[in-house]
Amino acid sequence: LQQQTMQCFAIIGSNDFGYESYYHEQEQHIAKAYNKYKIEPIKFITQNKLDYCQGNIIKYIMRYKDKNGIEDLYKAQWYIKELIKRNK
């Protein structure tokens, strides 16, 4: 993902838009929330071919303590409710 993102920035000329510094800040924030796990959420989600709702549930549950706290738990809850609706 990082390589693909950097390739996109190279194509659009990220220096013109200030994306490079924004990307670096976001990468540092993401690293804090996810790098403590043996498997990063994106790898787990893609390798297990989870759908959008399932992936977001995993993501929000894994990061809530380090990123957005209870807000992320509410987001996970929303996606869980959505899965329940779709599977009734």
Side-chain angles (χ1 to χ4, degrees), residues 6-53:
M6 294 309 291
Q7 287 172 344
C8 290
F9 287 149
I11 291 169
I12 63 169
S14 64
N15 289 334
D16 297 339
F17 301 103
Y19 289 139
E20 222 169 272
S21 62
Y22 173 79
Y23 175 75
H24 181 70
E25 288 173 25
Q26 291 301 310
E27 186 178 53
Q28 298 304 311
H29 193 68
I30 290 168
K32 180 183 174 194
Y34 299 125
N35 284 347
K36 68 182 182 180
Y37 297 104
K38 290 182 181 182
I39 302 171
E40 289 187 18
I42 189 70
K43 289 180 183 175
F44 179 83
I45 292 163
T46 55
Q47 288 178 4
N48 289 286
K49 297 178 173 71
L50 299 182
D51 69 26
Y52 185 77
C53 288

Side-chain angles (χ1 to χ4, degrees), residues 30-88:
I30 290 168
K32 180 183 174 194
Y34 299 125
N35 284 347
K36 68 182 182 180
Y37 297 104
K38 290 182 181 182
I39 302 171
E40 289 187 18
I42 189 70
K43 289 180 183 175
F44 179 83
I45 292 163
T46 55
Q47 288 178 4
N48 289 286
K49 297 178 173 71
L50 299 182
D51 69 26
Y52 185 77
C53 288
Q54 292 170 323
N56 277 320
I57 293 164
I58 298 294
K59 174 182 75 172
Y60 290 125
I61 293 294
M62 290 181 78
R63 78 179 197 185
Y64 86 94
K65 289 182 183 177
D66 298 310
K67 198 161 183 199
N68 297 322
I70 193 127
E71 179 183 340
D72 279 346
L73 294 177
Y74 284 125
K75 289 176 182 180
Q77 181 183 38
W78 188 91
Y79 283 104
I80 290 168
K81 288 179 179 179
E82 186 64 26
L83 273 179
I84 292 168
K85 280 188 231 173
R86 291 180 185 186
N87 288 286
K88 280 187 174 181

